[in-house]
Amino acid sequence: MDQQQSIEVLERLDGYLEEAEPKLVAFRRHIHQHPELSGKETNTARFISQVLSGAGIPHRLAVNGCGIIGEIMRSPDPAAPVIALRADIDALPIQEETDIVFRSNNAGVMHACGHDAHTAMLLATALTLKQENNLPFSWRAIFQPSEEEGQGAQQLIQEGALENVHGILALHVDPNRQIGRVGITPGPRTAFCRDFVIEVRGRGGHAARPYTTIDPIAAAAHLVTLIYQALPRSSDTRDPLVVTVGMIQGGYTSNVIPDLVTLKGTIRTLRREVAIEASATLERLSDATAGAFKADIKVTFKNLLNGMVNDEQTANVCAEVAREFLGPQNVVCNDPPSLGGEDFADYAAKVPGCMMTLGVAFPDKKVTPLHTATFELNEAALLVGPKLLARCLLHWSKKRVTV
């Protein structure tokens, strides 16, 4: 495809997207109003499937009905690269506290990480690409469940999401950036993450006679303090390490010492080796606490989630496109890596991939962070994402990124 043809294709895609903007907003609001937790996204997947079917986009539901893998939509050019586009569809166990008219209808569940926007933008992109028959690239849409639990990417990969795929792109909203600004940084972007569950089992009894019990609350409190004090000092300070206990559950009333306390937490680091070493240290601290309190302490680790690394060549191509589209001053390519987790890492470990962060801040409102009950995003940003994806896809096919 020559330069003039590419310009004409892009103009048509922009026109389709602008026509689809009301649908894009409606998709986002519907999904926001009906959030579902990781592993339970059946209604969300059905909604997406209905939209895709209505547009004649072939696809299949994941085995558990909680995700969607689109069929590859082939370019007329048999040598065209196949690029996957991924959006995550799950919500968080948070009670929404915004006053928007389309706030969550599901008590205790909220799209507080922008997955509703990610899904809506990919839906709009898919509907737009389907209308253009002369694309110089082939594409596949992936709507992934269970990102918040770090399991959905592996599930869909095992079900064939990356078969015959040469690269993958994704967007993630960023409430710290204004509309029209994006972050596209090559290299490491997110942490290696390992969640854990600790069961502290003792022997309950009357609160007035703790000497007749093995108090799991006392043991758990000591262990949390020990984790926060000892773990950071057991690791090289040049390697970022965060260990957080996010849940403590135990007991029923004020005058009864319970039998069991459960802790849940997470280990975050930028190197796999540090995460593994921290896990071993956590087990040693648990064993020591068990001995000191005569309790039975069991530590269970979830699978270690990969750190996400943006492919350097792919990220550079996307940044070049974004600078031309949005202006050089609006493209940041040196963001420091985050200790947040992102299972897009599992795709990017198998094919060249790039996740771009999209500014969704309100110009006159205080920043509301991701994963909070008051998180909001500026819907005026939603059209920027699909337009950026369309340009990256066209440029990718022009440059023939090596895969």
Side-chain angles (χ1 to χ4, degrees), residues 84-131:
L85 304 172
R86 174 270 204 176
D88 35 16
I89 68 175
D90 54 328
L92 287 158
I94 294 175
Q95 178 63 43
E96 183 164 3
E97 295 178 6
T98 71
D99 57 3
I100 56 177
V101 295
F102 53 92
R103 60 186 170 273
S104 172
N105 282 344
N106 298 340
V109 186
M110 176 190 176
H111 273 292
C113 196
H115 295 190
D116 51 341
H118 303 166
T119 302
M121 288 189 289
L122 181 49
L123 273 174
T125 303
L127 298 186
T128 293
L129 296 178
K130 180 63 170 60
Q131 295 183 73

Short mmCIF file of all heavy atoms in Angstrom, two decimals, residues 84-131:
data_model
loop_
_atom_site.label_atom_id
_atom_site.label_comp_id
_atom_site.label_asym_id
_atom_site.label_seq_id
_atom_site.Cartn_x
_atom_site.Cartn_y
_atom_site.Cartn_z
N ALA A 84 -2.72 -8.55 17.27
CA ALA A 84 -3.81 -8.70 18.23
C ALA A 84 -3.99 -7.41 19.02
O ALA A 84 -3.02 -6.69 19.29
CB ALA A 84 -3.54 -9.86 19.17
N LEU A 85 -5.23 -7.12 19.35
CA LEU A 85 -5.57 -5.99 20.22
C LEU A 85 -6.28 -6.55 21.44
O LEU A 85 -7.24 -7.30 21.31
CB LEU A 85 -6.50 -5.02 19.48
CG LEU A 85 -5.98 -4.47 18.15
CD1 LEU A 85 -7.07 -3.69 17.44
CD2 LEU A 85 -4.76 -3.59 18.37
N ARG A 86 -5.81 -6.19 22.62
CA ARG A 86 -6.35 -6.80 23.84
C ARG A 86 -6.96 -5.77 24.77
O ARG A 86 -6.41 -4.68 24.96
CB ARG A 86 -5.22 -7.55 24.56
CG ARG A 86 -5.57 -8.12 25.93
CD ARG A 86 -5.27 -7.12 27.02
NE ARG A 86 -5.04 -7.72 28.31
CZ ARG A 86 -4.68 -7.06 29.39
NH1 ARG A 86 -4.50 -5.75 29.34
NH2 ARG A 86 -4.47 -7.67 30.53
N ALA A 87 -8.11 -6.11 25.33
CA ALA A 87 -8.72 -5.32 26.40
C ALA A 87 -9.09 -6.27 27.53
O ALA A 87 -9.46 -7.42 27.31
CB ALA A 87 -9.97 -4.61 25.90
N ASP A 88 -8.97 -5.79 28.78
CA ASP A 88 -9.39 -6.58 29.94
C ASP A 88 -10.79 -6.16 30.33
O ASP A 88 -11.19 -5.02 30.16
CB ASP A 88 -8.41 -6.41 31.11
CG ASP A 88 -7.82 -5.00 31.20
OD1 ASP A 88 -8.37 -4.07 30.57
OD2 ASP A 88 -6.81 -4.83 31.88
N ILE A 89 -11.58 -7.11 30.87
CA ILE A 89 -13.02 -6.85 31.04
C ILE A 89 -13.51 -6.97 32.48
O ILE A 89 -14.70 -6.72 32.74
CB ILE A 89 -13.85 -7.78 30.13
CG1 ILE A 89 -13.76 -9.24 30.58
CG2 ILE A 89 -13.42 -7.65 28.67
CD1 ILE A 89 -14.67 -10.20 29.80
N ASP A 90 -12.66 -7.34 33.43
CA ASP A 90 -13.12 -7.58 34.79
C ASP A 90 -13.10 -6.32 35.64
O ASP A 90 -12.40 -5.36 35.34
CB ASP A 90 -12.31 -8.69 35.47
CG ASP A 90 -10.80 -8.44 35.42
OD1 ASP A 90 -10.33 -7.81 34.45
OD2 ASP A 90 -10.09 -8.86 36.36
N ALA A 91 -13.88 -6.35 36.71
CA ALA A 91 -13.99 -5.23 37.64
C ALA A 91 -13.36 -5.62 38.99
O ALA A 91 -12.80 -6.70 39.15
CB ALA A 91 -15.45 -4.83 37.82
N LEU A 92 -13.48 -4.71 39.94
CA LEU A 92 -12.85 -4.88 41.26
C LEU A 92 -13.90 -4.97 42.38
O LEU A 92 -14.99 -4.42 42.25
CB LEU A 92 -11.93 -3.69 41.55
CG LEU A 92 -10.62 -3.66 40.77
CD1 LEU A 92 -10.07 -2.24 40.71
CD2 LEU A 92 -9.60 -4.60 41.39
N PRO A 93 -13.55 -5.63 43.49
CA PRO A 93 -14.48 -5.71 44.62
C PRO A 93 -14.46 -4.43 45.47
O PRO A 93 -13.96 -4.39 46.59
CB PRO A 93 -13.95 -6.92 45.41
CG PRO A 93 -12.48 -6.94 45.11
CD PRO A 93 -12.34 -6.46 43.70
N ILE A 94 -15.00 -3.37 44.88
CA ILE A 94 -15.03 -2.04 45.51
C ILE A 94 -16.45 -1.50 45.42
O ILE A 94 -17.10 -1.61 44.37
CB ILE A 94 -14.05 -1.08 44.80
CG1 ILE A 94 -12.59 -1.52 45.02
CG2 ILE A 94 -14.24 0.35 45.29
CD1 ILE A 94 -11.58 -0.70 44.25
N GLN A 95 -16.93 -0.90 46.49
CA GLN A 95 -18.24 -0.25 46.47
C GLN A 95 -18.09 1.15 45.88
O GLN A 95 -17.39 2.00 46.45
CB GLN A 95 -18.82 -0.16 47.88
CG GLN A 95 -20.16 0.54 47.97
CD GLN A 95 -21.26 -0.18 47.21
OE1 GLN A 95 -21.37 -1.41 47.28
NE2 GLN A 95 -22.07 0.56 46.47
N GLU A 96 -18.72 1.40 44.77
CA GLU A 96 -18.55 2.68 44.08
C GLU A 96 -19.15 3.83 44.90
O GLU A 96 -20.23 3.71 45.47
CB GLU A 96 -19.21 2.64 42.70
CG GLU A 96 -19.01 3.92 41.91
CD GLU A 96 -19.31 3.77 40.43
OE1 GLU A 96 -19.74 2.67 40.00
OE2 GLU A 96 -19.10 4.76 39.69
N GLU A 97 -18.41 4.96 44.93
CA GLU A 97 -18.84 6.13 45.69
C GLU A 97 -18.92 7.37 44.81
O GLU A 97 -18.86 8.49 45.32
CB GLU A 97 -17.90 6.37 46.86
CG GLU A 97 -17.91 5.25 47.90
CD GLU A 97 -16.93 5.47 49.04
OE1 GLU A 97 -16.32 6.57 49.08
OE2 GLU A 97 -16.77 4.56 49.87
N THR A 98 -19.04 7.19 43.49
CA THR A 98 -19.22 8.34 42.62
C THR A 98 -20.70 8.70 42.54
O THR A 98 -21.56 7.94 42.98
CB THR A 98 -18.70 8.05 41.20
OG1 THR A 98 -19.59 7.13 40.56
CG2 THR A 98 -17.29 7.46 41.23
N ASP A 99 -20.98 9.86 41.95
CA ASP A 99 -22.38 10.27 41.78
C ASP A 99 -22.80 10.28 40.32
O ASP A 99 -23.79 10.91 39.95
CB ASP A 99 -22.62 11.64 42.41
CG ASP A 99 -21.70 12.73 41.82
OD1 ASP A 99 -20.92 12.41 40.88
OD2 ASP A 99 -21.78 13.88 42.27
N ILE A 100 -22.04 9.56 39.45
CA ILE A 100 -22.40 9.51 38.04
C ILE A 100 -23.71 8.74 37.86
O ILE A 100 -24.01 7.83 38.63
CB ILE A 100 -21.27 8.89 37.19
CG1 ILE A 100 -20.91 7.49 37.70
CG2 ILE A 100 -20.05 9.78 37.20
CD1 ILE A 100 -19.87 6.78 36.86
N VAL A 101 -24.47 9.08 36.84
CA VAL A 101 -25.80 8.49 36.67
C VAL A 101 -25.72 7.02 36.26
O VAL A 101 -26.67 6.27 36.47
CB VAL A 101 -26.63 9.27 35.63
CG1 VAL A 101 -26.91 10.68 36.12
CG2 VAL A 101 -25.92 9.31 34.28
N PHE A 102 -24.59 6.60 35.70
CA PHE A 102 -24.45 5.21 35.27
C PHE A 102 -23.53 4.42 36.21
O PHE A 102 -22.87 3.48 35.81
CB PHE A 102 -23.92 5.14 33.83
CG PHE A 102 -22.65 5.93 33.59
CD1 PHE A 102 -21.40 5.35 33.73
CD2 PHE A 102 -22.72 7.26 33.22
CE1 PHE A 102 -20.24 6.08 33.52
CE2 PHE A 102 -21.56 8.01 33.01
CZ PHE A 102 -20.32 7.40 33.16
N ARG A 103 -23.53 4.80 37.49
CA ARG A 103 -22.69 4.10 38.45
C ARG A 103 -23.13 2.64 38.58
O ARG A 103 -24.24 2.26 38.18
CB ARG A 103 -22.71 4.78 39.81
CG ARG A 103 -24.06 4.88 40.46
CD ARG A 103 -23.98 5.72 41.73
NE ARG A 103 -25.30 6.04 42.26
CZ ARG A 103 -26.01 7.09 41.88
NH1 ARG A 103 -25.54 7.93 40.96
NH2 ARG A 103 -27.20 7.33 42.40
N SER A 104 -22.29 1.86 39.20
CA SER A 104 -22.49 0.41 39.28
C SER A 104 -23.83 0.03 39.88
O SER A 104 -24.25 0.56 40.91
CB SER A 104 -21.36 -0.21 40.11
OG SER A 104 -21.62 -1.57 40.37
N ASN A 105 -24.48 -0.93 39.24
CA ASN A 105 -25.71 -1.52 39.78
C ASN A 105 -25.43 -2.71 40.69
O ASN A 105 -26.36 -3.23 41.32
CB ASN A 105 -26.62 -1.99 38.64
CG ASN A 105 -27.35 -0.85 37.97
OD1 ASN A 105 -27.43 0.25 38.51
ND2 ASN A 105 -27.89 -1.10 36.78
N ASN A 106 -24.19 -3.17 40.71
CA ASN A 106 -23.83 -4.37 41.47
C ASN A 106 -23.12 -3.97 42.76
O ASN A 106 -22.00 -3.45 42.72
CB ASN A 106 -22.93 -5.29 40.63
CG ASN A 106 -23.62 -5.78 39.38
OD1 ASN A 106 -24.86 -5.76 39.30
ND2 ASN A 106 -22.85 -6.22 38.39
N ALA A 107 -23.77 -4.20 43.87
CA ALA A 107 -23.21 -3.79 45.16
C ALA A 107 -21.84 -4.41 45.39
O ALA A 107 -21.65 -5.62 45.19
CB ALA A 107 -24.16 -4.19 46.28
N GLY A 108 -20.89 -3.57 45.78
CA GLY A 108 -19.55 -4.06 46.11
C GLY A 108 -18.68 -4.39 44.92
O GLY A 108 -17.59 -4.94 45.10
N VAL A 109 -19.12 -4.04 43.71
CA VAL A 109 -18.34 -4.31 42.50
C VAL A 109 -18.29 -3.04 41.67
O VAL A 109 -19.31 -2.38 41.47
CB VAL A 109 -18.94 -5.46 41.67
CG1 VAL A 109 -18.02 -5.81 40.50
CG2 VAL A 109 -19.19 -6.68 42.53
N MET A 110 -17.08 -2.70 41.17
CA MET A 110 -16.91 -1.44 40.45
C MET A 110 -15.80 -1.54 39.42
O MET A 110 -14.77 -2.17 39.67
CB MET A 110 -16.58 -0.31 41.44
CG MET A 110 -16.30 1.04 40.79
SD MET A 110 -15.64 2.22 41.99
CE MET A 110 -15.30 3.62 40.91
N HIS A 111 -16.00 -0.90 38.29
CA HIS A 111 -14.91 -0.73 37.31
C HIS A 111 -14.07 0.47 37.77
O HIS A 111 -14.27 1.59 37.33
CB HIS A 111 -15.46 -0.51 35.91
CG HIS A 111 -15.73 -1.78 35.18
ND1 HIS A 111 -14.70 -2.62 34.78
CD2 HIS A 111 -16.87 -2.38 34.80
CE1 HIS A 111 -15.21 -3.68 34.16
NE2 HIS A 111 -16.53 -3.57 34.18
N ALA A 112 -13.13 0.18 38.66
CA ALA A 112 -12.29 1.23 39.24
C ALA A 112 -10.90 1.25 38.63
O ALA A 112 -10.01 1.93 39.15
CB ALA A 112 -12.19 1.03 40.75
N CYS A 113 -10.69 0.50 37.54
CA CYS A 113 -9.38 0.47 36.90
C CYS A 113 -9.47 0.77 35.41
O CYS A 113 -8.50 0.61 34.68
CB CYS A 113 -8.71 -0.89 37.12
SG CYS A 113 -6.93 -0.90 36.78
N GLY A 114 -10.65 1.18 34.94
CA GLY A 114 -10.78 1.58 33.56
C GLY A 114 -11.00 0.46 32.57
O GLY A 114 -10.99 0.69 31.35
N HIS A 115 -11.25 -0.76 33.05
CA HIS A 115 -11.44 -1.87 32.12
C HIS A 115 -12.70 -1.68 31.27
O HIS A 115 -12.78 -2.20 30.16
CB HIS A 115 -11.49 -3.20 32.86
CG HIS A 115 -10.21 -3.56 33.55
ND1 HIS A 115 -9.99 -4.80 34.11
CD2 HIS A 115 -9.07 -2.85 33.77
CE1 HIS A 115 -8.77 -4.83 34.65
NE2 HIS A 115 -8.22 -3.65 34.46
N ASP A 116 -13.68 -0.97 31.81
CA ASP A 116 -14.87 -0.65 31.02
C ASP A 116 -14.50 0.20 29.81
O ASP A 116 -14.99 -0.03 28.69
CB ASP A 116 -15.92 0.06 31.88
CG ASP A 116 -15.35 1.25 32.65
OD1 ASP A 116 -14.12 1.34 32.82
OD2 ASP A 116 -16.15 2.11 33.09
N ALA A 117 -13.59 1.15 30.01
CA ALA A 117 -13.13 1.99 28.91
C ALA A 117 -12.27 1.20 27.93
O ALA A 117 -12.38 1.35 26.71
CB ALA A 117 -12.34 3.19 29.44
N HIS A 118 -11.40 0.34 28.46
CA HIS A 118 -10.55 -0.48 27.58
C HIS A 118 -11.43 -1.32 26.65
O HIS A 118 -11.18 -1.42 25.44
CB HIS A 118 -9.66 -1.41 28.41
CG HIS A 118 -8.79 -0.71 29.39
ND1 HIS A 118 -8.14 -1.38 30.41
CD2 HIS A 118 -8.46 0.59 29.53
CE1 HIS A 118 -7.45 -0.52 31.13
NE2 HIS A 118 -7.64 0.69 30.62
N THR A 119 -12.46 -1.94 27.23
CA THR A 119 -13.34 -2.81 26.45
C THR A 119 -14.12 -2.01 25.42
O THR A 119 -14.24 -2.41 24.25
CB THR A 119 -14.31 -3.54 27.39
OG1 THR A 119 -13.56 -4.30 28.34
CG2 THR A 119 -15.22 -4.48 26.62
N ALA A 120 -14.65 -0.87 25.82
CA ALA A 120 -15.43 -0.04 24.89
C ALA A 120 -14.55 0.44 23.74
O ALA A 120 -14.98 0.46 22.57
CB ALA A 120 -16.03 1.15 25.64
N MET A 121 -13.32 0.85 24.03
CA MET A 121 -12.43 1.33 22.97
C MET A 121 -12.08 0.22 21.99
O MET A 121 -12.00 0.44 20.78
CB MET A 121 -11.17 1.96 23.58
CG MET A 121 -11.42 3.29 24.26
SD MET A 121 -9.91 4.17 24.76
CE MET A 121 -9.36 3.14 26.14
N LEU A 122 -11.87 -1.00 22.50
CA LEU A 122 -11.56 -2.10 21.59
C LEU A 122 -12.79 -2.49 20.77
O LEU A 122 -12.67 -2.80 19.57
CB LEU A 122 -11.03 -3.31 22.37
CG LEU A 122 -10.65 -4.53 21.50
CD1 LEU A 122 -9.76 -4.14 20.32
CD2 LEU A 122 -9.98 -5.60 22.35
N LEU A 123 -13.96 -2.45 21.38
CA LEU A 123 -15.18 -2.72 20.61
C LEU A 123 -15.33 -1.72 19.47
O LEU A 123 -15.61 -2.11 18.32
CB LEU A 123 -16.41 -2.66 21.52
CG LEU A 123 -16.79 -3.94 22.27
CD1 LEU A 123 -17.93 -3.66 23.23
CD2 LEU A 123 -17.19 -5.04 21.30
N ALA A 124 -15.15 -0.45 19.76
CA ALA A 124 -15.27 0.57 18.72
C ALA A 124 -14.21 0.38 17.64
O ALA A 124 -14.49 0.55 16.45
CB ALA A 124 -15.15 1.97 19.34
N THR A 125 -13.00 0.01 18.06
CA THR A 125 -11.93 -0.23 17.09
C THR A 125 -12.28 -1.40 16.19
O THR A 125 -12.10 -1.35 14.97
CB THR A 125 -10.60 -0.50 17.82
OG1 THR A 125 -10.29 0.61 18.68
CG2 THR A 125 -9.46 -0.70 16.84
N ALA A 126 -12.78 -2.49 16.79
CA ALA A 126 -13.13 -3.68 16.01
C ALA A 126 -14.24 -3.37 15.01
O ALA A 126 -14.18 -3.77 13.84
CB ALA A 126 -13.54 -4.81 16.94
N LEU A 127 -15.28 -2.66 15.45
CA LEU A 127 -16.38 -2.31 14.55
C LEU A 127 -15.89 -1.46 13.39
O LEU A 127 -16.35 -1.59 12.25
CB LEU A 127 -17.47 -1.56 15.31
CG LEU A 127 -18.17 -2.30 16.46
CD1 LEU A 127 -19.32 -1.47 17.00
CD2 LEU A 127 -18.68 -3.66 16.02
N THR A 128 -14.93 -0.58 13.69
CA THR A 128 -14.38 0.30 12.65
C THR A 128 -13.52 -0.48 11.66
O THR A 128 -13.66 -0.33 10.45
CB THR A 128 -13.55 1.42 13.31
OG1 THR A 128 -14.43 2.26 14.06
CG2 THR A 128 -12.82 2.26 12.28
N LEU A 129 -12.62 -1.31 12.16
CA LEU A 129 -11.74 -2.08 11.27
C LEU A 129 -12.55 -3.00 10.38
O LEU A 129 -12.18 -3.26 9.23
CB LEU A 129 -10.74 -2.88 12.10
CG LEU A 129 -9.74 -2.07 12.93
CD1 LEU A 129 -8.85 -3.01 13.75
CD2 LEU A 129 -8.89 -1.17 12.05
N LYS A 130 -13.66 -3.52 10.90
CA LYS A 130 -14.49 -4.44 10.11
C LYS A 130 -15.07 -3.75 8.88
O LYS A 130 -15.35 -4.40 7.86
CB LYS A 130 -15.63 -4.98 10.98
CG LYS A 130 -16.58 -5.95 10.27
CD LYS A 130 -15.86 -7.21 9.82
CE LYS A 130 -16.83 -8.28 9.34
NZ LYS A 130 -17.66 -7.85 8.21
N GLN A 131 -15.24 -2.44 8.93
CA GLN A 131 -15.84 -1.71 7.81
C GLN A 131 -14.86 -1.44 6.68
O GLN A 131 -15.28 -1.04 5.59
CB GLN A 131 -16.42 -0.37 8.31
CG GLN A 131 -17.57 -0.51 9.29
CD GLN A 131 -18.13 0.83 9.68
OE1 GLN A 131 -18.82 1.49 8.89
NE2 GLN A 131 -17.84 1.26 10.90
#
